[in-house]
């Protein structure tokens, strides 16, 4: 450690005047600085509502991955002395960010895994097996985290101070300081000042400046606390595993986050309690020796719970993450068994790096694995419970239990959420333009239950609950009302009123709905519409609407709550094979 007063805290104190540090940060991490500038420009555009949200999501993901990749590239070039290769690695970081932006919705590429891989690579630092590299890695990572904490706190103080000054000017001198100015301040602070401040504090990987004694003692104390907590947590989980062994019942949706939190706390304590000089308390040394063996039973419990959930409900991105956590824990345990005292703490981010690369591109990405699993699950469910005509699903079998509909809805919902429209089209044999149309169609075919909505007490008390799903359309409310031909005789339109040919007829006034679309304040579904007589209610769970001058409804699905003595129209009574809805107008 250097003793000339140029340590970590000394650099912090001199930061406001250290233009050289800022210039060096721009030189070391040019792609990261460029990404910060782009994000700042996007934040300012968002203030003026001039930002396309689809484009913003794409560029934002690319900038985040490029920032992490740029830092990783800079760290690796310094760790291995790649003077001439530094520019090439930064170009690779920019390319990674561009690929993440362009293919962020692809099933074959995972930008999340790319970002995690970049962070893990930076944390690993060097691929050298020399023991001194382990010390350098720990010192560098601790300095980086300390610098990040300081940069965040400093930025927050700066922003609060500027806000106080601007508001003081407003109230003391009567000078107008709009909220837009404050939005500029916050955007510049957290999108530009914070990352640049942190990059300027980031020391050289090959000769990192060790944190000052106060920071090192605080981290050591944190490591001891986390190690003790992990030990207590391990006892609790072993008792929990014994309970499960006796009752043979694994609680659902609990084991995953419980064991994941245990592994996070324990590994963080392991890293924090590391001392480059090996001078640690005997208690900490014993906890470090016992930590990985203590994870064996909890990891087995996590593997069992994950395997059961995937076997019953298929793979989802969340369960994929749990499977990766299980794999990482098993790999680290195996490394500890083989290496024992030679275990290198860089193996922790190294294993994360390996798994992130494996799931970044190809058939093991989060989306591809999930789509493959849920597609197979949906096919099995539809083959068992669906009715088909000419290869197309026309409804659900009369003996299908509610659980089957919920499983079908779950599988289809996951696929539609991931944008796998072609997969759902192939499984159902039906045609639809987008995910909203697909959901409306599945409700029409009784394959997706309508959402549960609480209507007004008067409408639901003692009444009949009739779920329905319709692909109406298109029909318009507003200037002119167009009669949907397939439903003549039981539904009529006049101005903004919809009349259902029930007994007696039910009238629902949707003028407020049409006006809401025209003035841009259209509320999200589900929407409860009480009939004019106040005896029934129409719960709209899904609406596809277009137009400003007139509200054009292309599909609607929901629940009809009928008052006492009201008989629904025959078309709303559930048939054994629901009629195929008309295709919405293109």
């Amino acid at each position: 450690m250097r003793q000339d007063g140029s340590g970590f805290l000394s650099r912090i104190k001199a930061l406001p005047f250290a233009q050289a540090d800022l210039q060096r940060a721009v030189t070391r991490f040019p792609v990261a600085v460029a990404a910060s500038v782009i994000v700042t420009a996007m934040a300012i555009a968002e203030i003026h509502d001039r930002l396309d949200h689809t484009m913003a999501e794409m560029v934002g993901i690319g900038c985040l991955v490029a920032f992490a990749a740029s830092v990783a590239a800079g760290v690796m070039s310094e760790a291995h002395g790649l003077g001439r290769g530094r520019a090439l690695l930064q170009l690779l970081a920019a390319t990674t960010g561009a690929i993440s932006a362009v293919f962020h919705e692809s099933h074959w590429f995972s930008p999340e895994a790319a970002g995690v891989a970049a962070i893990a690579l930076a944390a690993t630092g060097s691929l050298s097996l020399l023991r001194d590299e382990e010390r350098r890695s720990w010192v560098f990572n601790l300095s980086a985290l300390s610098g990040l904490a300081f940069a965040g706190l400093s930025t927050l103080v700066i922003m609060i101070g500027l806000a106080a000054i601007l508001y003081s000017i407003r109230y003391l001198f009567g000078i107008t300081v709009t909220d837009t100015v404050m939005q500029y301040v916050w955007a510049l602070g957290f999108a530009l000042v914070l990352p640049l401040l942190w990059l300027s504090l980031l020391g050289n990987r090959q000769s990192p400046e060790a944190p000052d004694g106060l920071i090192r003692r605080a981290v050591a104390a944190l490591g001891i606390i986390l190690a003790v907590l992990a030990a207590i947590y391990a006892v609790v989980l072993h008792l929990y595993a014994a309970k499960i062994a006796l009752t043979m019942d694994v609680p659902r949706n609990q084991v995953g986050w419980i064991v994941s939190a245990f592994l996070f706390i324990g590994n963080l304590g392991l890293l924090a309690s590391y001392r480059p000089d090996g001078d640690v308390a005997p208690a900490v040394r014993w906890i470090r020796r016992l930590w990985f063996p203590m994870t064996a039973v909890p990891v087995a419990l996590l593997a069992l719970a994950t395997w059961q959930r995937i076997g019953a409900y298929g793979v989802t991105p969340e369960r994929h993450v749990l499977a990766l956590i299980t794999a990482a824990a098993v790999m680290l345990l195996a490394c500890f068994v083989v290496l024992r005292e030679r275990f290198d703490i860089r193996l922790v981010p190294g294993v994360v790096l390996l798994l992130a690369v494996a799931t970044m591109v190809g058939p093991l990405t989060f989306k591809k694995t999930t789509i493959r699993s849920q597609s197979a699950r949906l096919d099995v469910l539809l083959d068992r419970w669906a009715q088909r005509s000419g290869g197309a699903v026309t409804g659900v079998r009369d003996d299908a239990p509610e659980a089957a509909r919920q499983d079908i809805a779950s599988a289809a919902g996951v696929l539609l959420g991931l944008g796998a429209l072609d997969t759902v089209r192939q499984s159902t044999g039906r045609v639809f333009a987008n995910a909203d149309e697909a959901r409306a169609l599945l409700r029409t075919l009784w394959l997706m239950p309508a959402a549960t909505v609480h209507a007004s007490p008067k409408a639901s008390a003692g009444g009949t609950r009739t779920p329905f799903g319709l692909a109406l359309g298109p029909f318009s409310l507003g200037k002119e009302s167009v009669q949907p031909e397939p439903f003549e005789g039981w539904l009529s339109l006049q101005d903004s009123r919809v009349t259902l040919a029930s007994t007696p007829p039910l009238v629902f006034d949707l003028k407020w709905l049409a006006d809401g679309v025209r003035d841009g304040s259209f509320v999200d579904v589900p929407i409860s519409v009480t009939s004019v007589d106040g005896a029934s209610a129409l719960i709209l769970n899904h609406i596809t609407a277009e137009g400003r001058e007139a509200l054009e409804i292309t599909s609607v699905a929901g629940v009809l709550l009928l008052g006492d003595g009201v008989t629904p129209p025959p078309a709303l009574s559930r048939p054994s094979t629901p009629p195929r809805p008309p295709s919405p107008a293109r």
Side-chain angles (χ1 to χ4, degrees):
M1 186 192 307
R2 291 171 17 180
Q3 304 294 336
D4 57 356
S6 58
F8 180 75
L9 290 180
S10 300
R11 288 170 59 84
I12 288 178
K13 295 174 182 177
L15 185 62
F17 311 100
Q19 296 183 3
D21 285 341
L22 183 58
Q23 293 173 356
R24 189 161 51 249
V26 175
T27 303
R28 295 170 64 198
F29 312 108
V31 174
V33 174
S36 300
V37 172
I38 294 174
V39 171
T40 304
M42 291 172 52
I44 293 175
E46 175 65 20
I47 293 173
H48 295 280
D49 199 20
R50 296 179 181 176
L51 192 64
D52 180 78
H53 291 287
T54 301
M55 179 64 68
E57 179 184 7
M58 180 182 73
V59 177
I61 291 174
C63 287
L64 291 176
V65 174
F67 186 96
S70 176
V71 174
V75 170
M76 291 299 294
S77 63
E78 293 172 354
H80 294 278
L82 303 178
R84 294 184 177 181
R86 178 177 300 176
L88 183 61
L89 289 178
Q90 290 295 321
L91 179 60
L92 180 61
T95 304
T96 304
I99 292 175
S100 300
V102 175
F103 298 102
H104 73 284
E105 292 185 345
S106 171
H107 299 160
W108 294 94
F109 180 79
S110 173
E112 300 89 349
V116 171
I119 295 173
L121 181 60
T124 305
S126 173
L127 303 181
S128 173
L129 299 180
L130 296 177
R131 197 66 179 180
D132 193 50
E133 288 297 332
E134 181 184 26
R135 181 195 65 80
R136 286 197 185 100
S137 179
W138 184 86
V139 172
F140 175 80
N141 291 332
L142 181 56
S143 298
L145 292 175
S146 302
L148 179 60
F150 171 80
L153 180 60
S154 299
T155 302
L156 182 61
V157 171
I158 293 172
M159 297 302 102
I160 293 176
L162 288 175
I165 292 173
L166 291 174
Y167 280 114
S168 298
I169 292 174
R170 173 191 293 181
Y171 289 109
L172 294 178
F173 300 99
I175 299 176
T176 301
V177 179
T178 63
D179 291 337
T180 302
V181 175
M182 284 307 308
Q183 292 176 347
Y184 280 144
V185 170
W186 290 106
L188 290 170
F190 288 101
L192 188 62
V193 175
L194 173 58
L196 290 182
L197 188 58
W198 179 63
L199 291 175
S200 66
L201 287 172
L202 204 57
N204 189 289
R205 169 57 179 78
Q206 196 60 14
S207 56
E209 297 177 359
D212 294 74
L214 177 61
I215 295 178
R216 295 182 62 185
R217 288 194 298 272
V219 172
L222 175 63
I224 295 175
I225 294 173
L226 291 177
V228 173
L229 289 177
I232 298 174
Y233 213 153
V235 173
V236 173
L237 287 177
H238 279 76
L239 293 176
Y240 185 66
K243 173 188 173 183
I244 290 177
L246 293 175
T247 61
M248 301 302 293
D249 180 28
V250 179
R252 297 186 295 177
N253 298 326
Q254 295 182 19
V255 174
W257 72 265
I258 291 175
V259 178
S260 298
F262 163 71
L263 295 174
F264 175 79
I265 292 174
N267 283 297
L268 187 60
L270 174 70
L271 297 176
S273 62
Y274 174 83
R275 292 290 296 274
D277 53 9
D279 182 17
V280 296
V284 176
R285 187 178 296 111
W286 275 106
I287 291 176
R288 289 183 57 187
R289 289 176 179 175
L290 296 176
W291 160 242
F292 286 109
M294 286 192 303
T295 65
V297 172
V299 169
L301 188 61
L302 176 61
L304 174 62
T306 304
W307 177 75
Q308 286 185 341
R309 296 294 288 177
I310 291 177
Y313 304 105
V315 177
T316 62
E318 294 78 12
R319 294 175 195 138
H320 195 173
V321 171
L322 290 178
L324 291 176
I325 292 175
T326 304
V330 171
M331 293 171 66
L332 288 173
L333 177 59
C335 290
F336 177 81
V337 171
V338 173
L339 299 175
R340 295 286 181 174
E341 296 297 331
R342 294 179 291 120
F343 183 87
D344 193 318
I345 62 170
R346 289 178 298 162
L347 286 171
V348 176
V351 167
V352 175
L353 171 63
L354 179 63
L355 294 177
V357 170
T359 57
M360 183 171 62
V361 181
L364 296 180
T365 62
F366 294 117
K367 288 184 179 180
K368 195 63 182 177
T369 305
T370 300
I371 290 173
R372 185 166 56 246
S373 173
Q374 294 297 334
S375 174
R377 179 180 175 226
L378 181 61
D379 288 339
V380 170
L381 290 169
L382 291 179
D383 289 343
R384 174 67 178 87
W385 300 111
Q387 295 177 336
R388 293 181 182 268
S389 176
V393 173
T394 58
V396 66
R397 291 175 46 176
D398 292 334
D399 61 343
E402 182 67 19
R405 288 178 56 203
Q406 292 177 353
D407 288 343
I408 293 173
S410 172
V414 171
L415 292 171
L416 294 174
L418 293 176
L421 296 177
D422 290 337
T423 302
V424 181
R425 292 189 188 107
Q426 182 177 359
S427 297
T428 60
R430 305 303 292 263
V431 178
F432 38 82
N434 51 51
D436 287 337
E437 281 191 17
R439 292 186 180 93
L441 176 61
L442 292 176
R443 291 189 179 100
T444 303
L445 301 177
W446 308 98
L447 297 177
M448 292 186 82
T452 301
V453 181
H454 298 287
S456 61
K458 183 176 181 181
S460 56
T464 304
R465 185 183 183 90
T466 304
F468 68 95
L470 309 174
L472 297 178
F475 69 86
S476 299
L477 300 173
K479 278 189 172 182
E480 298 179 358
S481 297
V482 180
Q483 174 68 39
E485 295 180 0
F487 302 103
E488 286 185 355
W490 68 270
L491 183 149
S492 61
L493 302 167
Q494 184 177 4
D495 297 328
S496 61
R497 292 192 170 198
V498 176
T499 302
L500 296 180
S502 54
T503 305
L506 294 177
V507 180
F508 299 92
D509 191 348
L510 302 183
K511 183 177 185 303
W512 62 274
L513 186 60
D515 292 341
V517 171
R518 283 196 292 272
D519 65 20
S521 60
F522 182 61
V523 295
D524 294 333
V525 292
I527 303 170
S528 175
V529 184
T530 304
S531 60
V532 173
D533 63 4
S536 302
L538 186 64
I539 312 298
L540 304 180
N541 290 327
H542 168 82
I543 298 175
T544 300
E546 297 178 355
R548 293 292 180 183
E549 296 299 325
L551 173 61
E552 182 180 271
I553 298 180
T554 57
S555 61
V556 60
V559 176
L560 179 63
L561 300 179
L562 302 178
D564 293 331
V566 179
T567 304
L572 282 183
S573 300
R574 178 177 178 179
S576 57
T577 303
R580 180 172 180 173
S583 300
R586 297 283 184 255

